[in-house]
Amino acid sequence: MSNRDVIALKKGYKFGSFTCGNERMDRWLTSSARRDGGEGNNRTHLWVDCETQELLGYFTLAPAVITDNPFTGQTRPAILLAKLAIAEHLRGQEPKQGHALLYEAFRVALEAADLVGGRYLVVDPQSDALVPYYEDLGFELAEGDADQGLRMLLKMSAVRRAFQEQAGS
């Protein structure tokens, strides 16, 4: 397996023939990611092959605030894993490439939390079918506003432990 690197999306980056198999996610990457990042809404990070510079996946992180006590309305700072997509041709490979990309997202989220704070890593699964995937990683369904949609959270301390365990293996 070749070496991979995570780079921040910058103006002028060419996405090549990247597709994750989800037209909406592909379209967002090519038409909105640069603009959204430039406006400070989020930051997209590209997972690239170091030798060929082929785009293998991407993830997008954004600041968030969550209510972790619906009775008191207590809010906490969080980092939202807003997008996570892997190249379609990498699906089903061992070791699991989606997990490898997710752990890169964990690394960047931890760096961000170390700089500005953040008690939780939050994810809004794109479908109910992804809930078990995130539950296996320790994410829990959040109680909250039904208008918010499906939301799952994981304490940053658990993200840090998972990342350290992965790095040690």
Side-chain angles (χ1 to χ4, degrees):
M1 182 188 328
S2 61
N3 291 332
R4 280 99 190 260
D5 197 12
V6 172
I7 60 173
L9 174 60
K10 293 182 180 156
K11 187 176 182 177
Y13 183 85
K14 306 288 186 221
F15 298 109
S17 60
F18 177 84
T19 181
C20 69
N22 179 317
E23 186 179 328
R24 186 171 50 93
M25 295 281 282
D26 291 342
R27 189 173 44 251
W28 180 86
L29 177 65
T30 58
S31 66
S32 300
R34 283 190 191 96
R35 181 191 69 238
D36 287 357
E39 292 173 352
N41 296 325
N42 55 49
R43 288 290 181 258
T44 297
H45 302 269
L46 308 176
W47 197 40
V48 299
D49 182 293
C50 291
E51 295 169 14
T52 66
Q53 294 303 299
E54 175 191 6
L55 178 59
L56 303 172
Y58 73 91
F59 60 90
T60 302
L61 299 173
V65 175
I66 61 139
T67 302
D68 69 352
N69 186 331
F71 301 108
T72 65
Q74 178 71 45
T75 60
R76 303 276 185 204
I79 297 172
L80 172 65
L81 176 58
K83 308 275 187 214
L84 180 72
I86 191 161
E88 194 170 32
H89 72 275
L90 294 178
R91 288 190 193 157
Q93 288 188 13
E94 291 293 335
K96 294 182 178 179
Q97 300 302 298
H99 273 44
L101 178 58
L102 181 64
Y103 281 96
E104 289 294 337
F106 280 8
R107 181 183 59 77
V108 175
L110 287 167
E111 290 173 2
D114 287 345
L115 288 172
V116 300
R119 183 167 180 146
Y120 296 99
L121 181 63
V122 180
V123 65
D124 298 335
Q126 299 295 314
S127 73
D128 290 342
L130 289 172
V131 170
Y133 173 78
Y134 287 109
E135 284 177 332
D136 286 346
L137 294 165
F139 284 83
E140 297 177 3
L141 285 170
E143 296 180 26
D145 186 355
D147 294 337
Q148 184 178 17
L150 193 58
R151 178 153 279 187
M152 300 181 80
L153 10 134
L154 183 62
K155 283 188 175 178
M156 278 296 183
S157 58
V159 172
R160 189 173 307 282
R161 276 192 306 276
F163 179 73
Q164 289 169 342
E165 288 172 9
Q166 177 71 15
S169 60

